[in-house]
Every structure is written in C-alpha cells, then in structure tokens.
Amino acid sequence: MKRSVVIHGHFYQPPRDDPWTETIPVEANAAPFHDWNERIERESYAPVAPSLASMSFDFGPTLLEWMERHAPGTYAAVVAAARSGGAVAMPYHHLILPLAPRRDKVTEVRWGIADFRRRFGREPEGMWLPETAVDDETLDVLAAEGIRFTILAPHQVERAPAGGLPGWYRTGGGRQIAIFLYDGAISHDVAFGPLVRDADAWVERLTTGPNQLVAVATDGETYGHHHKGGDVILARVLETLGRRGDVRVENFASFLARHPPAEEVRLVAPSSWSCPHGVERWRAECGCRAAPERGLHQRWRAPLRAALDWLSAELHTVFEHALRMFTSCGWFFDDIAGIESVIVLRSAARAIELAGAEAPRLEAGLLERLALAPSNDPSVGSGRELYLKQVKK
C-alpha cells in the first residue's frame, strides 16, 4: 500500500489597506517594498505558486482580494492550481472563532465559503481554521454549512487515530465532521528548520515510519519569506516524492474520498496550534510572545479584547459587518503599538464612523476601555493615546 503525503500551506495576510482610502499606507519596515503584501508576494507567493497544484492549501480571502488587484499573475496561478482539488476555504477574516459569538462564526464561515465559490467555481470540501483555533461550536457551524473536514494539530484531540488517519468528530449539535491531524514534529521542523533547508532530510522524514498518511502543515510564508530559498526546497521535495513509486502526493479531499474515518475523536477545546494555553494568546497575558527575549508584558491584550468585544456588541444594533477589527494578528505579537494592533484599531475607527449618530458615544466608550491597555513603550502610553495619535482620522 502506498503511503500518502499531504503538504498543506496556510497563506494569509491581514487586510492592510486603510479602511477610508482602500489603499495600503507605506509600511517602512517592509522596505525596499511599499508594504508587506508586496514584499511577501515577491519572496513567497509568486515563487511557491508553481508548487501549489501538488499541495493542499488555503489563501485568506483578504489576501486574495489584494492579490487579484495587485499581483494578477500570481493570483491566476493560484486559481489554476485550485483545479487540482487541493484548495480549502478559510473563514473570511482571520478571527479566533472560539472567541466569537455563534452569529459571527456563521457569518465568517458563510463569507469564506462564498468567496471560495466565487474565485474557484466550486463548493469547498474543507476549511482551515485560523491558528487552528477550535471548539465544539466552531465545528458545529462548519458542519452545518456543509464543510466535510478541517485540519488540526495533534494536541487538539485527546487521542489521535492510528496511522495518521482522520477521525470523525460528532458535535454537541449532533453533526459530524472529519478531522485530519498534521504531524506536529515534522511540521515544526519544516516551519522552524532544519528540514526547510534540507530536501533530502525532509523526504526521509516523510517516507519513514508506519503511518499510512503523513500530513505537514505550516504557514505558506515559510517558503521563501521566513526561510530564504524555502520555496526551492519545497519544489525539490515535491518533485522527489513524485518520482517515487511508493508514495502518493495528494490532498486531504482525495484521501478522504478513499479513506473515510473509521473512529471518533474527542476534542481538546478551546485549543489552537500556536498557544499551549488554549486561545489565551488572543485575550490574556498568557506568556506567549513573538520575541520572548525582549521580556515585554502583554497586559494590553485583555483590555484590547474587552474594548473591541464591547464595540462589536454595540455595533450589532446598527449593522452586521463588525468583524475585520478582530483579525488575530492584533493580539499575536508583543505590543499594542505594533502595526498589527494598529490595523485592527483602524477598522474599529472606521466602523465607529459608519455608525452615524452613535459615533461619538461609541468612540468615547472605546477610548475609556483602551485607556486600560498599556503599551510597553512609555512614549506610546496606552491604547487610548495610540488610537488618538496614530489611528483616528
């Protein structure tokens, strides 16, 4: 029996455009490029595009929207690669879904499906969850909207099925969805080295051991952006595997069609791949940081989450689209003054403006709550000062 290998890439960027002008401001730290979308497209998306037809992959809808307008050649290559069947959908914005109310989960999933359908001309079978953040309600929403499978980290279930095979998960609502688990050790060694620098060692890891299915999942930006030359190593690995007679390089949907799950799995929830504390990285000072050596606090995270949760609840009395301000990058890094948190606050400011007569009350309430979110930089102060000096138009 041939061993199956699935290599999944999760490709995503936050919506970097100014919500007033719909253009991306110059991002100085992306120099010599205008902004990070432009830089990463050149370093990663364009060179990886020829490999996509042999992979499983998802692209964030907000990234594809930018790519369609500003990198049409790469965008066309992504659309063409999706015909291989390897493309899966993603919720429209990169929200941590377990932290969202059900109505927002449903909106995000439906918009993600609609965007996938428009771009790729078919219904998605699978959906990648941002940060693989999951709980029972999230999977119930996916199943209710017709999604057949998702991909999680191995520590997100209590016991993984043998052989790398998928398992069934039965939601509290009585629905079923298939769960694939990526190989945590191999995925780590691709994302953070050394395998992304050594094609032969990567192939050896994929083709040894007892598993019938070996799945690897990393950020797509691993190849060429996080690791220069990683796109070349990826292409070499796929080419080498394609020449072997004992390996089938495929995607999750094709494997599922031949091997439906035979056993149920129990979820560890809420959980995510990138926070050992569950989903605390996006609402608390849990200690997870991008640069631990800098010793920065994250006392700003909980007040930022509370402020935007309050604003969202208030805005829902006016309109539905209050979701862009929850893109997960706003909490992932180490300080509220970072570009990622500024991006979510820009979206909040624009949403407040669109609320019309309610805007002064909403802004006052947001500022009151942001004052409780201290920056690590004394010159910034708190989220309140950040909003007034760098965000508000």
Side-chain angles (χ1 to χ4, degrees):
M1 182 180 295
K2 284 188 176 182
R3 174 194 303 261
S4 290
V5 171
V6 178
I7 298 178
H8 182 89
H10 164 57
F11 297 85
Y12 170 72
Q13 293 299 311
R16 298 182 180 278
D17 55 295
D18 183 306
W20 289 273
T21 66
E22 297 186 354
T23 61
I24 299 179
V26 173
E27 296 178 338
N29 58 356
F33 298 92
H34 177 274
D35 57 74
W36 282 105
N37 279 9
E38 197 175 273
R39 177 171 172 173
I40 298 171
E41 190 277 332
R42 188 76 58 86
E43 294 176 347
S44 179
Y45 305 143
V48 167
S51 296
L52 291 176
S54 300
M55 296 173 63
S56 169
F57 63 89
D58 72 279
F59 273 80
T62 55
L63 172 58
L64 288 177
E65 181 181 15
W66 174 88
M67 195 179 289
E68 186 176 18
R69 296 169 59 188
H70 299 284
T74 303
Y75 176 77
V78 172
V79 173
R83 299 189 190 112
S84 68
V88 302
M90 196 196 88
Y92 193 87
H93 301 97
H94 207 267
L95 269 68
I96 301 301
L97 290 185
L99 297 181
R102 187 176 183 111
R103 67 183 287 178
D104 287 350
K105 289 182 175 77
V106 171
T107 300
E108 283 290 311
V109 170
R110 287 182 179 175
W111 285 1
I113 291 171
D115 189 82
F116 186 98
R117 185 190 303 121
R118 181 179 77 81
R119 297 183 188 281
F120 302 133
R122 64 177 175 87
E123 297 296 318
E125 293 186 61
M127 179 167 276
W128 177 268
L129 295 172
E131 304 291 339
T132 71
V134 72
D135 62 0
D136 178 83
E137 185 175 73
T138 296
L139 294 182
D140 192 61
V141 169
L142 262 59
E145 298 301 324
I147 297 298
R148 297 183 60 217
F149 69 86
T150 192
I151 306 106
L152 300 180
H155 66 265
Q156 293 183 270
V157 299
E158 291 186 3
R159 185 178 62 84
L165 298 173
W168 284 122
Y169 177 74
R170 185 177 297 277
T171 72
R175 299 178 175 92
Q176 276 193 331
I177 186 170
I179 303 293
F180 283 95
L181 303 173
Y182 63 77
D183 186 297
I186 299 178
S187 298
H188 177 276
D189 290 349
V190 172
F192 303 104
L195 298 184
V196 73
R197 298 185 291 272
D198 189 335
D200 293 337
W202 188 356
V203 169
E204 183 177 0
R205 291 280 295 277
L206 292 172
T207 55
T208 57
N211 280 6
Q212 186 177 344
L213 169 64
V214 180
V216 172
T218 69
D219 287 342
E221 295 79 15
T222 297
Y223 310 112
H225 174 57
H226 296 317
H227 297 280
K228 187 176 181 180
D231 55 300
V232 177
I233 298 298
L234 171 67
R236 190 176 302 157
V237 167
L238 291 168
E239 181 185 9
T240 301
L241 292 173
R243 292 198 306 263
R244 294 180 58 130
D246 60 337
V247 173
R248 178 186 282 110
V249 179
E250 60 178 324
N251 56 64
F252 291 113
S254 61
F255 188 90
L256 186 63
R258 297 195 321 277
H259 302 284
E263 60 182 283
E264 291 195 13
V265 294
R266 297 182 65 180
L267 203 62
V268 175
S271 62
S272 64
W273 83 261
S274 50
C275 178
H277 315 100
V279 294
E280 298 308 301
R281 187 168 192 157
W282 299 276
R283 66 178 175 186
E285 188 177 18
C286 68
C288 291
R289 291 170 283 186
E293 69 279 2
R294 297 178 63 195
L296 302 180
H297 70 74
Q298 308 99 50
R299 293 193 297 275
W300 55 273
R301 282 181 178 158
L304 177 62
R305 171 66 60 177
L308 295 186
D309 279 344
W310 172 83
L311 179 59
S312 177
E314 296 294 312
L315 286 170
H316 272 157
T317 66
V318 183
F319 54 77
E320 188 76 14
H321 184 29
L323 297 168
R324 181 170 136 147
M325 63 187 180
F326 286 106
T327 182
S328 68
C329 308
W331 289 264
F332 188 86
F333 296 97
D334 295 353
D335 193 63
I336 193 171
I339 188 173
E340 298 82 8
S341 300
V342 170
I343 285 173
V344 301
L345 287 174
R346 279 188 200 139
S347 296
R350 177 61 171 147
I352 287 172
E353 183 179 83
L354 292 172
E358 286 288 288
R361 179 183 69 84
L362 294 175
E363 186 168 76
L366 181 68
L367 289 172
E368 179 184 351
R369 289 161 175 82
L370 288 178
L372 302 176
S375 170
N376 285 276
D377 185 347
S379 68
V380 173
S382 71
R384 183 181 190 278
E385 288 74 36
L386 179 71
Y387 181 96
L388 292 172
K389 294 175 182 178
Q390 295 191 38
V391 174
K392 184 174 170 59
K393 293 288 185 178

